[in-house]
Amino acid sequence: MDLHGIEQVLPANLLDRNLSSWRAGDAWLGGGTWLFSTEQPALRRLHDLMAIPIGSPIAEEDSGLTIRSTCTIAELQQHTIAHNDWRAASLIGKCCDSFLAGFKIWNAATVGGNICMSLPAGPMIALCVALDGTYTLRSCGGEVRKVAALDFTIGDHDSILAPGELLQIIELPAAGLRRRVTMRRFSLVKDGRSSVLVIGSHDTDTGAFALTVTAATSRPVQLHFDKLPEKQQLRYSLASKIDPRLWFDDPNGTPDHRRHLTTFFAEDVIKVLS
Amino acid sequence: MAFFTLNGKEHHEQPKAGQCLRTFLRQLGCYGVKKGCDSGDCGACTVLLNGEPIHSCITPAVRAHGKNVISIEGLTDGDELHPMQQQFLEARGFQCGFCTPGMILTACALSEDQKGDLNHAMKGNLCRCTGYRAIRDAIEGRAELSVESQPGECIGRDVLPPTAHSVVTGQEDFTMDAAMDGMLHLKVVRSEHAHARICAINTQAALAVPGVVTVLTWEDAPTRRFTSAIHDSHLVDPDDTLVLDQVARFVGQRLVAVVAETVAAAEKGCQVIEIDYELLPMVLEPEEAMAEGAPPLHRDQPDSFIINPGRNILVDIDLAGGDIAAIRQQADVLIERTYSTHRQQAMHLETLGSIGWIDEKGCLNIRTSSQSPFIAKQKLEFIFNLNPCNVRVFCKRIGGGFGAKQEVLTEDLVALACLKTGRPVSWEFTRQENFIGASVRHPATIKVRLGAQKDGTLLLIEVDSTLNTGAYGNHGGEALYAGSVALGHYRAPVKHFSGRSVYTNTIPSGALRGYGLPQTLFAVESCMDELALELGVKPNALRRQNMVGANDRIVTISDEPSDVVMGSYGLDQCLDFVEAALARKADQQGPSGQEWAVGEGLAIGYHDTVPPTEHRSTATVLLHDDGTYCLFTGTAEFGEGTSTVHLQFAAEALATTPDRIKLRQSDTKICGWDTGAFASTGIVVACQATMHAAKALRERILIHAAQHLGVEVEECTLDSGGVSSSCGGKLSLIQLAELARHKGIKLAEKRKGYGSPVSVAFNAHGFRVAVNRITGEIIILQSVHAADAGRVINPAQFRGQIEGAVAQAIGYAMTEDLMIDRAGKVRNPDVRNYRIPSFADCPETEVFFADTVDSVGPYGAKGGGESPFNPVAPALANAVQNATGVRFRHLPLTPPRIYEALVSTFAR
């Protein structure tokens, strides 16, 4: 929709060191697919991150996958992983398929945009958290910090980003990508917004197992186990380690149903990985 | 340097900074780029940006810089259709046509892989009319329709809608596809509170916004109360509404209008309006609203129509036939169950909107998205005390209605702004406004009591219905009465219908496909299955034993004199079709796994072909000098397809082909009275008028020709070329027109159509479902519908109506629910969270037509646009019960509800 309050769109370079001209009423413009989908009465200027081409959005090295935040969903989905032992790379396609939005949106929407939106159902959040991703953030003053994907999203539409701070780079380490993974998802309509998205990842070298829960909770939750847990242990952990207030309540699901499905899917995931 | 290339042409115009590509393209004249959601969810605005399909409503216009954009207007050069456009035309992959440009452009860009999974590939394109089957056929290049029709033989053929070509090319002119010199834009401030009195409104800051021309508040508005509901008689609804009121009765009620040179200025003006409210106690549910001490919504200046304003009761009815107490004694089995239903939004893809202006003669013109321009006009005359000669209301093509445009919700405020400013004014609802400020299907709580003998003979049907009419009473009475129809398709010596429509501080309920009947039919048809279980008989056998037969009278409550007649009877055929279709796939399996339970169920129903309120229509048919005909009808076209049927009827009577007849419609200036395109009356009333007028013109032409040929009328026949006599004389239509002109006579006839007597249409729907007892998911394995609508005039169109109604009803039964929070605010006022069915949610429905010819309807036809909706929800609940053993009495049947009820019964 038209954003009538916007007075200026400024080209911005994703990799610039600093952006001193940032002020209240500014916002980063990535794909724009969320920004232009709802009224933005508080915004006056947009810094267009797509205006200046900055080369390849994805770099694959032995240490892992580096994704620029402006990488579109379509680019990520079409990237062919060269490392044969990155078993968890199958999650990339599955998470791209977990958008409510269809393929036309994938041509514009960015990986970083989905992460920064911090929606409980954001599938790029699920992907990065499950694979132990790290984000590089840069403040408008030029300070750089790295945070774990798990710590970035703190609630529905809420992240640790400070005003003007920008998500530049997403790194998915090879260690995470080498794990065996299984994903389960549920939405109230076919191919709709996720009500629950559960990913289990199993490190076959160490035996460690991690369960990542998104969409069902207002922020991502991860449970760690030294080995694949028994049903009782899993249920106990889900019940005791997830704050009951985190079960998300919105038109796409109820807290009770989400808690129930999370348990069911988590058990299923473990069965598959056992 | 050019800014970008659009459809092969360079453009130098620059977009505004925050403008989206959609409005920029429309500003450049590409009106085929539609606004459905304005949030990237529906795909109606799809265009190709450097060859890639994108949603232009969420694409910053600045992103098009230096790029190449193709909109529907530029898909092909010249007159030749693109193959995909041709496929949409041939497969009738459209009804209202509003989603069509976006569908076609998306389909054009699909890879072969994507075409293999249309459910997934097309999930970003929503259609509210078709149920997607015809669109799937179009994309896959399937079309097996009998398009060819011979002169005078086009009844029963799949005649193409007259607008088919302009729909698939994006040339069709919809309501908001217009701009006028000096046109102002209107935006409103809506109430944030469910119940409040306005103490003061500070308009100073808004008036100071550059571009703001005027600000309108309750102090500027007329003091005549009216009803926004459209009916032939305004006396069937309460006059409880003002153009702008000092009291807000629901969150979202319009309170202040800002009129400005641009949408941006109007919006900015709205942001700085300050309203000082005095909050009033509020009620959200009928039970609380009727309780003693509840805050009355309409106690001040009440219309005497409101039966009990102190207790918020709009209408209260209690009608019984027979001795209830005695029959209860006789019943071997007596069951009582309570059901409830929720709010549904029509979600026509074109939001509400209108454009008004005062012409040089001082006449107020309103171009609007309405199902009844004639009654909208009457309301404006009443509200503003205007002479009928000084008001004109007309409709261009409308992007879907489904009953929700049987309401005056924009025209009045646009008229006020025109009258205040003297300038053209446009007001287009945002999608969010359409969710919070339009109308919804009445939520209902329905108690059913059924009594029967051991042998299954039904003795008693009692239904008690409580409707939540919301903050205003529009349709609150008629929708309540309409619910009594659910008692009509079974024989029982005693019937009892009681109910009430209750005001609450929630979004007003209004008209929507089925109109009060889907709620009560859900209850009655669910309860019939429950009674069968209680009696230990098969539900379908119980239905057959008690349903009305061909020689029965339809008695909804008592056998009073009535103009409802059994003009034809096809209920038995409908039930046979559905039962047989379900039986054919009886061994169909669900997904593997113990958690999946499979079952089947069905429901039946009937629908009056004309509403109990008056319904009238006028048609004029004339012969032009060039030998073609022109037909005038007041009916608007919003995808229901009556325009095609008008032409079919006229062509049949005039022994010609539809392409020889030009249709002019839905304009109070040039057409005769038409009550409106609602209550399934399009064919039986409006097209009936056309049939009479065309037959009369045929007689007129024959008499005229006979005189000139010097023969008896009986010796003359009319064909598509002219009149020939059995003696060998012949006059072409052009010659006949010329002779008439010389004589000073007009070869034109006008006739009226009325809606009495009323016939009855029947429907049956069946489902086979698989239910996951752990997740609560329902998969529809089979969907079957049979309709008895008399003689089917246009099978392709009628099948489309059925499929669309079924899809909308599946949405109602499973996915759609306009939720309201404790403050009375809509929780999901957007397409993303409201969830109408997409490609993947709509199973293909097997459709059957009963073979009947109606003795009342024109050319043996009955109405059928609404009634297929009605049996869908109860059929689904019956199938789920059959699968799981658990009865669901509350709609919608969502996974959280299913799981909650099943998890305890299913041992894992």
Side-chain angles (χ1 to χ4, degrees), chain B residues 386-717:
Chain B
L386 296 170
N387 185 298
C389 300
N390 288 331
V391 186
R392 170 199 178 203
V393 177
F394 67 103
C395 304
K396 306 306 277 189
R397 193 182 186 85
I398 296 165
F402 313 110
K405 292 175 180 174
Q406 191 187 340
E407 206 89 58
V408 168
L409 293 173
T410 60
E411 298 89 342
D412 56 331
L413 198 49
V414 167
L416 177 64
C418 287
L419 294 166
K420 288 277 173 185
T421 63
R423 291 176 58 180
V425 176
S426 167
W427 183 24
E428 181 179 15
F429 267 35
T430 64
R431 178 53 64 184
Q432 188 190 32
E433 283 186 291
N434 221 105
F435 275 112
I436 66 168
S439 59
V440 294
R441 189 183 296 286
H442 292 79
T445 302
I446 299 147
K447 207 179 285 172
V448 181
R449 243 190 242 122
L450 296 178
Q453 291 174 350
K454 263 189 222 137
D455 68 358
T457 307
L458 200 57
L459 297 177
L460 168 74
I461 308 176
E462 285 187 274
V463 174
D464 180 78
S465 172
T466 301
L467 294 189
N468 185 341
T469 192
Y472 292 92
N474 46 315
H475 299 285
E478 289 304 303
L480 180 65
Y481 280 101
S484 68
V485 168
L487 287 74
H489 56 292
Y490 293 114
R491 292 182 306 261
V494 177
K495 293 183 179 181
H496 179 203
F497 181 70
S498 56
R500 56 218 62 78
S501 241
V502 184
Y503 285 116
T504 62
N505 293 110
T506 60
I507 183 168
S509 301
L512 186 48
R513 202 174 210 160
Y515 200 81
L517 178 52
Q519 295 94 320
T520 49
L521 195 73
F522 166 67
V524 168
E525 283 295 295
S526 294
C527 203
M528 276 301 279
D529 261 43
E530 299 208 53
L531 178 65
L533 277 179
E534 203 74 26
L535 288 164
V537 298
K538 292 212 160 116
N540 298 351
L542 187 68
R543 287 193 169 85
R544 275 187 198 281
Q545 186 182 350
N546 292 289
M547 71 191 194
V548 291
N551 300 316
D552 288 324
R553 275 177 63 79
I554 292 272
V555 177
T556 49
I557 296 153
S558 62
D559 195 8
E560 297 290 319
S562 141
D563 67 346
V564 176
V565 300
M566 192 86 83
S568 53
Y569 176 78
L571 178 57
D572 52 348
Q573 291 183 51
C574 290
L575 189 52
D576 289 347
F577 275 129
V578 172
E579 273 194 312
L582 288 173
R584 275 197 292 276
K585 293 190 183 167
D587 52 2
Q588 200 178 1
Q589 303 286 312
S592 62
Q594 282 189 333
E595 67 273 28
W596 288 98
V598 174
E600 63 175 58
L602 61 74
I604 59 175
Y606 95 95
H607 205 272
D608 290 330
T609 60
V610 184
T613 49
E614 200 59 79
H615 216 101
R616 305 169 284 148
S617 190
T618 316
T620 302
V621 189
L622 57 83
L623 178 65
H624 275 309
D625 292 348
D626 65 357
T628 63
Y629 298 97
C630 190
L631 162 62
F632 294 86
T633 173
T635 309
E637 176 67 46
F638 48 94
E640 81 283 16
T642 42
S643 302
T644 324
V645 177
H646 276 289
L647 294 181
Q648 285 179 270
F649 277 15
E652 184 82 6
L654 293 163
T656 187
T657 48
D659 61 323
R660 305 291 294 165
I661 306 165
K662 182 168 172 51
L663 182 68
R664 301 194 61 189
Q665 65 193 124
S666 56
D667 186 339
T668 63
K669 194 164 130 190
I670 58 167
C671 306
W673 174 269
D674 176 73
T675 298
F678 55 86
S680 299
T681 54
I683 288 181
V684 292
V685 178
C687 293
Q688 180 206 141
T690 289
M691 178 188 75
H692 290 316
K695 282 183 174 175
L697 180 62
R698 174 200 178 96
E699 284 312 300
R700 182 82 187 269
I701 290 171
L702 287 172
I703 292 167
H704 173 65
Q707 281 172 355
H708 284 280
L709 291 169
V711 296
E712 294 296 316
V713 175
E714 290 72 27
E715 292 170 54
C716 295
T717 46

Side-chain angles (χ1 to χ4, degrees), chain A residues 1-4 6-9 29-34 36-39 41 46 48-50 97 99-108 186 188-193 231 235 249-254 256-257 259-261 264-265 267, chain B residues 17-20 23 38-41 43 46 52-55 57-58 60 62-63 102 106 110 114 119-121 123-125 263-264 267 271 432 774-779 815 819 827-828 832-833 835 838 840-841 895-896 899-900 903 908:
Chain A
M1 65 182 66
D2 285 344
L3 304 179
H4 295 297
I6 302 296
E7 291 152 4
Q8 230 180 339
V9 181
L29 174 62
T33 52
W34 177 77
F36 277 74
S37 77
T38 185
E39 287 174 20
L46 301 176
D48 186 356
L49 295 167
M50 312 300 261
D97 267 342
F99 278 96
L100 162 70
F103 80 102
K104 288 180 282 178
I105 306 277
W106 303 356
N107 290 333
F186 190 83
L188 296 189
V189 292
K190 305 213 166 33
D191 254 353
R193 179 173 277 183
K231 196 189 246 188
R235 286 190 174 191
D249 188 5
D250 83 332
N252 298 293
T254 62
D256 192 42
H257 190 231
R259 184 188 45 72
H260 161 76
L261 285 183
F264 171 63
F265 287 148
E267 289 173 14
Chain B
Q19 192 168 17
C20 68
T23 63
D38 223 7
S39 60
D41 295 299
T46 301
E52 278 185 348
I54 49 116
H55 296 251
C57 70
I58 51 166
V62 293
R63 289 271 161 87
T106 306
L110 296 181
Q114 285 176 308
N119 283 352
H120 193 57
K123 73 175 181 172
N125 287 75
V263 175
E267 200 178 286
Q271 284 163 4
Q432 188 190 32
I774 293 173
T775 64
E777 183 184 3
I778 300 172
I779 295 177
T815 66
M819 302 171 178
R827 284 181 71 197
N828 50 346
R832 209 166 287 179
N833 290 299
R835 294 192 303 264
S838 74
D841 298 305
Y899 131 78
E900 200 180 334
V903 76
R908 286 173 49 194

Side-chain angles (χ1 to χ4, degrees), chain A residues 9 11 32 37 54 62 65 119 127 150 164 175 179 192 203 252 265 267:
Chain A
V9 181
S37 77
I54 47 164
D62 289 346
L65 203 60
L119 274 177
L127 174 74
L150 178 63
R179 291 191 205 133
D203 188 328
N252 298 293
F265 287 148
E267 289 173 14

